[in-house]
Amino acid sequence: MTNAGKQRRFPTGDLARVAVFAALIAVLGLPGTLNVFGNVVPITLQTLGVMLAGTILGSWRAALAVVVLLVLVAAGLPLLAGGRGGLAVFTAPSAGFLIGWIPGAAVTGWLVERAGRRPGIVPLLTACLVGGMGVVYLFGIPVQALVTGVSLVSAAQLTLVFLPGDLIKVVLAAVVARGVQRAYPDAVPAVHQERLRAGGR
């Protein structure tokens, strides 16, 4: 009976949240892309959605939201910034950054989960910085180097153009998440986990 209860709780609550954040990440791609200084990897707002998913959904639900989005992209839906979609995007120079969204969201959420029932702005900033930037770069830079045939150092240097915008996204994600969690305590991952363990939704 316990397992059945857990299975019911996921579809009625968490599945909807996962779908909403997958849609949010897709919507943040509507403004399009920006390529600067000859970098073939575009700048988009969608990383902001990945950070927000991590800070509000927690680790596994955030990762699942990204997986849902990427599966739809692989199926051909043009949900990435610039109307990109299809399997070809996973062989492009930006493929590593896309794949990095999954562990990036998971790590962001994992860090916020460990910040307790009332995560302050500093833990939220740290989570977004480490997960939403650091982990994504860790996957993105080597793949960009491999696909484009440049050295890791050159790929890392090209990635420097992302830093100002990504730091702004880190601050925005932390501030938005803090506001949402104050207004809606169940948006704090640790609180949500406690309610699930107690039998809530």
Side-chain angles (χ1 to χ4, degrees), residues 28 33 41 44 47 57 59 71 90 95 101 146 153 178 194 198 200:
L28 286 172
T33 64
V41 177
T44 80
T47 316
L57 295 183
S59 56
V71 167
F90 296 100
W101 285 357
L146 179 65
V153 173
R178 182 62 176 149
E194 289 178 7

Side-chain angles (χ1 to χ4, degrees), residues 1-11 196-197 199 201:
M1 294 298 293
T2 301
N3 290 335
K6 289 181 178 179
Q7 290 174 355
R8 285 194 297 269
R9 283 197 296 270
F10 175 73
L196 283 181
R197 287 193 291 266
R201 296 179 182 225

Side-chain angles (χ1 to χ4, degrees), residues 17-19 21-22 25 53 57 60-70:
R17 295 180 181 98
V18 166
F21 273 86
I25 298 170
L57 295 183
W60 68 270
R61 290 183 300 160
L64 184 57
V66 176
V67 168
V68 168
L69 174 72
L70 295 183

